[in-house]
Amino acid sequence: MANSATHSDGPDYVIFIPGMLCDERLFEGMTDGLQVAHHVASVSGAATIADIAERILAEAPPRFAVVGLSMGGIVAMHLWRIAPDRLSHMMLLNTTPDADAPGGGATALAHIAAQMAGGEGHSIVDTIHKLYLGSNASESDVLPELMISMAQSVGIEALGVQALALASRADSNELLPTISIPTTIVCGDQDKLCSEAGHQKMAAAIPGSWLVVIEGCGHMSAIEEPGVVADEMLALFAR
C-alpha cells in the first residue's frame, strides 16, 4: 500500500465512467446518497478512448473527480493525459494502464459481451461467474442478471464500437508517475481480467496513491462490494 495523498478539500463534482457494456446502474450502490453533484458518463458512440475522453471533457465542469471501472479507468487515465488541470481526484477500479494484449484480449472479451447482450441463458451466467465475479458473489443470481440487463440496454451496436476503442488503446504506463492528484486504486484479489499484481504495479508507480485489495472480489467491484468501494471513495475525497 502506498502512502496516502496530500489532504484536499474534496471535489465539487464527480464523473463516473463505466466499463464495457455497462450503464449508470454499475455505480448505483456508490452514488446512492452521495452528497456531491455527479453524473455517469457514456462510453458509447466514440470509436477511440481519446474520443470518449474528449466528449466527457466537453460536457464536464471546469474541475471534477473521476471514478472509472475497467474501460472507464482506461478513459480516466487518458483524461489525465490530455487535461490534468481539470481533474481533482482519481479512483481507478479493476483496470489496467497496459495497451491491448497481443492476440486481441479486447476482441475475446467482446465475444463474451456479445453473448451477454444476447442474453444467452444459463451458459452465459456461468461464464459471468467464472470470468467476472469473485467468490463473495458465487451464490448471486442478481449480479449476472444485472450485467446481462446492462449489456442488453447498451446494445450490440455499441459493443462493436467499445471493443474497437479498447483494442486500439494507448499504453498509459508512462503517465502513472505524473499523476499528482489524490488517487485510489481498487481491485479484487480474484480479478481474472486485471490482476492484483497489475494493480500493485500501478500503485507503486503513482506517487502517494492508495491501494485497496478486496478479498473474494472479482472484476466488478462496484457491484460486488459497492459499500466497501463507496467508503473508499469518500475516504479519497477527504484526502
Side-chain angles (χ1 to χ4, degrees):
M1 181 178 292
N3 294 328
S4 61
T6 303
H7 175 76
S8 71
D9 293 330
D12 295 321
Y13 200 93
V14 186
I15 296 178
F16 294 85
I17 311 176
M20 176 185 280
L21 283 193
C22 294
D23 59 24
E24 66 278 358
R25 288 172 286 178
L26 178 68
F27 297 111
E28 281 184 350
M30 297 175 61
T31 59
D32 186 28
L34 179 61
Q35 300 299 307
V36 181
H38 60 273
H39 77 269
V40 178
S42 171
V43 293
S44 297
T48 67
I49 296 297
D51 288 343
I52 296 170
E54 291 285 1
R55 186 176 60 193
I56 289 172
L57 285 175
E59 300 173 350
R63 192 165 169 82
F64 57 94
V66 63
V67 178
L69 184 143
S70 193
M71 181 178 182
I74 292 168
V75 175
M77 285 181 272
H78 192 80
L79 285 169
W80 178 260
R81 182 194 302 274
I82 62 176
D85 58 314
R86 301 278 300 274
L87 303 185
S88 65
H89 301 73
M90 185 182 299
M91 192 173 201
L92 302 172
L93 311 175
N94 307 91
T95 192
T96 177
D98 298 339
D100 193 24
T107 302
L109 288 178
H111 175 70
I112 295 169
Q115 292 179 291
M116 290 167 56
E120 295 183 12
H122 185 72
S123 63
I124 191 57
V125 171
D126 287 345
T127 299
I128 289 171
H129 271 292
K130 291 176 182 176
L131 186 62
Y132 288 96
L133 303 178
S135 59
N136 291 351
S138 62
E139 301 300 319
S140 173
D141 294 325
V142 173
L143 294 186
E145 289 171 0
L146 171 60
M147 292 176 64
I148 292 169
S149 178
M150 289 193 292
Q152 291 174 333
S153 178
V154 174
I156 290 289
E157 183 176 348
L159 166 62
V161 179
Q162 291 177 10
L164 177 62
L166 278 178
S168 63
R169 69 184 185 266
D171 188 293
S172 293
N173 281 284
E174 79 284 358
L175 291 177
L176 302 183
T178 74
I179 296 175
S180 56
I181 56 175
T183 300
T184 293
I185 299 160
V186 176
C187 71
D189 68 344
Q190 297 176 7
D191 191 331
K192 298 179 181 66
L193 302 180
C194 299
S195 70
E196 179 182 344
H199 289 87
Q200 290 173 339
K201 183 180 176 181
M202 275 197 292
I206 299 174
S209 63
W210 193 260
L211 175 64
V212 178
V213 180
I214 305 175
E215 294 184 4
C217 182
H219 186 65
M220 304 297 291
S221 63
I223 57 173
E224 291 180 71
E225 299 288 351
V228 174
V229 181
D231 285 347
E232 294 296 341
M233 177 181 67
L234 295 178
L236 167 66
F237 294 166
R239 295 190 185 115

